[in-house]
């Protein structure tokens, strides 16, 4: 049983990571285009790229990683977006502190703070929230570690 559970946990983590990498690529590419050629301000660019990445992440998790939970209706979608908004707040705070607080205003600095450091911190929150609040499995305790 422990071996099966460990494999299931690894598979869940790998699936979440694969979906997250795809969503991250969408987020990063769109953010870079919106900050560069489109010349949007960093917070607007980040907000728009977030919505696109979040949509990709929900679809990938619902159809892939957590398909066995059979998410139905708008509730899982709404909770997923709420969890991801909390993650976005983390990212936006990193971007705001870097761009406006520290005066690091280059496109590179905005990308590192918003789509790099902010994304790493937000991913921890998103993984916990996604598995605990959105795609719950019968008999599983909320914590991934135990």
């Amino acid at each position: 049983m422990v071996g099966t559970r460990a494999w299931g946990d690894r598979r869940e983590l790998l699936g979440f990571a694969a979906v997250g990498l795809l969503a991250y690529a969408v987020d990063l590419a769109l953010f870079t285009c919106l900050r560069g050629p489109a010349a949007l301000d960093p917070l607007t660019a980040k907000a728009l790229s977030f919505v696109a990445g979040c949509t990709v992440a929900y679809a990938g998790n619902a159809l892939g990683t957590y398909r066995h939970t059979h998410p139905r209706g708008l509730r899982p979608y709404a909770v997923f977006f709420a969890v991801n908004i909390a993650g976005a707040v983390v990212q936006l705070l990193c971007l705001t502190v870097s761009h406006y607080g520290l005066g690091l205003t280059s496109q590179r600095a905005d990308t590192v703070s918003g789509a790099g450091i902010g994304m790493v911190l937000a991913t921890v929150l998103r993984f916990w929230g996604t598995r605990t609040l959105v795609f719950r499995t019968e008999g599983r305790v909320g914590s991934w570690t135990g």
Side-chain angles (χ1 to χ4, degrees):
M1 170 120 176
V2 173
T4 303
R5 181 172 179 205
W7 170 245
D9 286 347
R10 258 185 254 132
R11 202 167 82 206
E12 177 185 5
L13 186 58
L14 289 173
F16 184 85
V19 168
L21 284 174
L22 178 60
Y24 178 76
V26 169
D27 186 330
L28 179 60
L30 187 56
F31 179 75
T32 302
C33 289
L34 293 174
R35 276 294 289 140
L40 293 179
D41 70 274
L43 297 181
T44 301
K46 189 68 213 161
L48 293 172
S49 68
F50 160 76
V51 171
C54 190
T55 301
V56 168
Y58 180 81
N61 280 308
L63 298 172
T65 308
Y66 298 103
R67 69 184 170 277
H68 62 280
T69 65
H70 306 291
R72 291 188 182 102
L74 292 178
R75 185 205 173 278
Y77 190 71
V79 174
F80 185 82
F81 266 82
V83 166
N84 280 274
I85 286 170
V89 167
V90 170
Q91 289 178 261
L92 289 171
L93 284 172
C94 288
L95 181 59
T96 300
V97 167
S98 172
H99 191 89
Y100 299 107
L102 300 175
L104 303 171
T105 59
S106 71
Q107 182 178 348
R108 177 180 287 165
D110 288 343
T111 301
V112 168
S113 63
I117 296 166
M119 180 64 80
V120 169
L121 296 174
T123 297
V124 173
L125 174 64
R126 288 180 175 128
F127 180 69
W128 175 84
T130 296
R131 78 180 321 261
T132 304
L133 304 173
V134 181
F135 300 110
R136 290 182 272 196
T137 301
E138 287 292 320
R140 179 175 69 194
V141 177
S143 171
W144 182 66
T145 58

